[in-house]
């Protein structure tokens, strides 16, 4: 059934794509809040379309023409025969995945960041080489792109831009709850679940003082590192859907860049568990400059080793108590390093 639906959608796309000037690729719901601020800047809805690999429920996005695809086969065909001037995406690995460059060679490919982290460590080698323009939202990403151009002999144009994900979130103070809400939100491709770090965190948190929510990365679920049923059986509350930062008081993570966003929006530092770092680029040694992945941890986080988790309650209380001082440090960081 999906085959015929995709075929019909594809044929319709070929027929009417000439009516559009730009197209956005929405791969999954995770990147929706990162791409949405940029597509909304297109005031003429009629010349902007979307290719999506999931069912979009966002009413703001439904104002645009959406071509929904279910299979990688047809997704690949959509991109191979793309004949639209601009293609915006927050999906890396262009031409190294189902996300292919058009054979018609008329499209300019623009990458929009879905994370403020660096571009050399947590992405695969050559993840950005085939883009014409790549957004940089901080000086570290700008330096990463300069290194990529030098090392890989590419000619990526650097688009220095504000991280509009921040702009779409309202700054708030910590919620004055009787029980503080803690969000545990690890990234994927680390040993966080394999070595039961999440259970050690749970063991050392006082459930009388905190409501504890765990938000596994969708790739951890996809790769079967963990499943929701297991987490529910361990009495975790599960955070799903669109992430509302103002709902939480404290964040605990590992190597996810979420703590940078949490710091900007909530003006507070996060607990950063010191485990094996996430490195997807096998040629990371080629890059010489310090990445934001390392630098920001020292400025926006309280780094905690696994053998220090027994002191987790005191660490969290200290963060809450010193929030006012942290707020000044957080503001200084973003003024210095973000566009």
């Amino acid at each position: 059934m999906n085959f015929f639906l995709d075929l019909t959608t594809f044929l319709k796309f070929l027929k009417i794509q000439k009516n559009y000037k730009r197209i956005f690729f929405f791969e999954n719901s995770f990147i929706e809040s990162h791409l949405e601020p940029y597509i909304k800047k297109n005031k003429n809805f009629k010349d902007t379309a979307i290719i999506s690999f999931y069912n979009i429920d966002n009413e703001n996005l439904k104002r645009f023409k959406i071509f929904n695809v279910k299979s990688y086969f047809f997704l690949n065909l959509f991109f191979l025969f793309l004949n639209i001037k601009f293609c915006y995406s927050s999906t890396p690995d262009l031409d190294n995945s189902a996300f292919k460059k058009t054979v018609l060679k008329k499209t300019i490919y623009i990458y929009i960041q879905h994370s403020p982290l660096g571009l050399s460590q947590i992405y695969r080698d050559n993840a950005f080489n085939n883009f014409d323009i790549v957004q940089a939202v901080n000086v570290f990403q700008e330096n990463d792109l300069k290194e990529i151009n030098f090392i890989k002999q590419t000619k990526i144009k650097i688009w220095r831009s504000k991280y509009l994900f921040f702009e779409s979130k309202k700054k708030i103070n910590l919620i004055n709850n009787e029980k503080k809400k803690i969000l545990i939100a690890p990234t994927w491709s680390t040993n966080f679940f394999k070595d039961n770090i999440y259970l050690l965190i749970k063991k050392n948190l006082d459930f009388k003082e905190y409501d504890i929510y765990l938000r596994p990365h969708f790739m951890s679920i996809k790769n079967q590192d963990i499943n929701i049923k297991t987490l529910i059986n361990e009495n975790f509350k599960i955070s799903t859907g669109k992430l509302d930062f103002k709902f939480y008081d404290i964040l605990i993570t590992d190597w996810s860049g979420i703590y940078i966003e949490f710091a900007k929006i909530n003006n507070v530092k996060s607990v950063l568990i010191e485990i094996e770092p996430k490195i997807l680029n096998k040629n990371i040694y080629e890059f010489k400059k310090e990445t934001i992945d390392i630098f920001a941890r020292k400025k926006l986080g309280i780094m905690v080793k696994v053998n220090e988790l027994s002191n987790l309650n005191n660490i969290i209380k200290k963060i809450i108590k010193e929030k006012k001082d942290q707020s000044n440090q957080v503001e200084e960081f973003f003024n210095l390093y973000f566009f």
Side-chain angles (χ1 to χ4, degrees):
M1 187 67 175
N2 284 342
F3 177 87
F4 293 105
L5 285 174
D6 279 357
L7 177 61
T8 302
T9 303
F10 176 62
L11 293 176
K12 183 178 181 181
F13 172 75
L14 291 180
K15 184 178 180 181
I16 67 173
Q17 68 166 321
K18 63 180 180 294
N19 298 330
Y20 301 101
K21 182 179 180 181
R22 60 185 67 82
I23 194 160
F24 283 73
F25 174 35
F26 281 69
E27 181 185 11
N28 52 58
S29 59
F30 168 76
I31 53 85
E32 193 170 292
S33 57
H34 295 83
L35 283 178
E36 183 181 3
Y38 299 90
I39 194 171
K40 284 169 65 176
K41 282 182 170 292
N42 296 291
K43 296 180 180 179
N44 188 351
F45 298 133
K46 293 182 179 180
D47 66 4
T48 302
I50 293 172
I51 294 178
S52 72
F53 202 47
Y54 69 104
N55 293 323
I56 293 178
D57 295 322
N58 188 322
E59 293 299 325
N60 290 325
L61 297 179
K62 286 182 178 180
R63 291 181 290 176
F64 299 93
K65 177 62 179 177
I66 299 175
F67 298 95
N68 181 240
V69 189
K70 303 293 184 184
S71 71
Y72 282 107
F73 173 77
F74 278 100
L75 183 67
N76 186 260
L77 285 182
F78 264 84
F79 288 120
L80 284 176
F81 293 98
L82 189 66
N83 192 21
I84 296 177
K85 186 173 183 181
F86 299 102
C87 179
Y88 295 81
S89 169
S90 194
T91 299
D93 294 307
L94 175 62
D95 244 8
N96 299 315
S97 63
F99 183 24
K100 297 288 187 183
K101 295 188 77 169
T102 175
V103 296
L104 303 177
K105 299 181 180 180
K106 293 183 178 180
T107 301
I108 296 171
Y109 292 87
I110 303 168
Y111 183 84
I112 295 175
Q113 299 294 341
H114 63 255
S115 169
L117 286 181
L119 309 182
S120 60
Q121 179 170 306
I122 64 170
Y123 296 94
R124 295 181 181 88
D125 194 31
N126 301 321
F128 303 99
N129 293 13
N130 295 314
F131 285 92
D132 299 289
I133 301 170
V134 175
Q135 181 190 34
V137 301
N138 55 58
V139 296
F140 294 92
Q141 289 185 347
E142 182 179 25
N143 289 334
D144 289 342
L145 286 169
K146 289 178 180 177
E147 279 202 283
I148 289 171
N149 276 337
F150 177 76
I151 294 167
K152 305 298 182 181
Q153 294 297 292
T154 51
K155 296 181 179 180
I156 301 168
K157 292 182 180 179
I158 302 172
W159 170 27
R160 296 170 89 251
S161 167
K162 287 186 177 181
Y163 191 38
L164 294 189
F165 178 82
F166 288 158
E167 305 297 317
S168 66
K169 305 292 182 180
K170 185 179 180 181
K171 281 189 177 182
I172 60 163
N173 294 318
L174 284 174
I175 305 168
N176 187 22
N177 294 319
E178 184 178 342
K179 290 181 72 173
K180 299 296 182 184
K181 289 180 169 58
I182 295 177
L183 176 65
I184 305 170
T187 188
W188 65 288
S189 194
T190 68
N191 61 326
F192 189 86
F193 290 112
K194 179 182 176 182
D195 290 349
N196 293 324
I197 305 301
Y198 70 110
L199 294 179
L200 287 174
I201 293 172
K202 173 191 166 188
K203 177 183 176 181
N204 290 291
L205 285 175
D206 188 347
F207 277 71
K208 294 179 182 178
E209 292 192 42
Y210 308 118
D211 282 329
I212 303 166
Y213 295 79
L214 201 154
R215 186 181 182 90
H217 195 285
F218 76 94
M219 285 296 293
S220 296
I221 301 296
K222 182 179 179 181
N223 294 340
Q224 299 183 345
D225 297 328
I226 196 68
N227 61 70
I228 299 298
K229 185 177 179 180
T230 298
L231 296 176
I232 292 174
N233 288 340
E234 291 290 348
N235 295 320
F236 283 103
K237 296 179 180 179
I238 309 301
S239 168
T240 59
K242 193 171 183 179
L243 181 56
D244 185 358
F245 284 99
K246 62 178 173 288
F247 185 73
Y248 303 100
D249 300 281
I250 293 292
L251 171 70
I252 300 174
T253 187
D254 49 8
W255 288 88
S256 170
I258 192 175
Y259 75 94
I260 299 178
E261 297 164 347
F262 197 84
K264 173 67 174 178
I265 294 162
N266 286 12
N267 282 328
V268 66
K269 293 186 177 182
S270 297
V271 176
L272 306 179
I273 310 299
E274 290 285 273
I275 60 173
E276 179 183 327
K278 176 181 177 179
I279 301 177
L280 296 183
N281 185 355
K282 65 181 186 301
N283 293 323
I284 184 64
Y285 62 87
E286 294 180 323
F287 294 83
K288 306 304 179 186
K289 293 184 178 180
E290 185 176 33
T291 69
I292 191 174
D293 308 58
I294 304 298
F295 184 82
R297 292 175 74 84
K298 309 168 192 174
K299 304 294 184 179
L300 303 179
I302 306 298
M303 292 180 282
V304 179
K305 296 179 181 178
V306 173
N307 62 7
E308 297 172 334
L309 285 175
S310 59
N311 196 36
L312 190 54
N313 280 317
N314 291 330
I315 293 169
I316 291 173
K317 288 178 181 177
K318 190 170 187 284
I319 290 174
I320 294 172
K321 182 179 179 181
E322 297 177 355
K323 180 183 182 291
K324 186 175 181 179
D325 292 335
Q326 293 172 21
S327 179
N328 295 330
Q329 296 173 38
V330 168
E331 187 174 354
E332 181 183 21
F333 176 87
F334 286 100
N335 287 339
L336 285 173
Y337 301 111
F338 273 72
F339 303 137

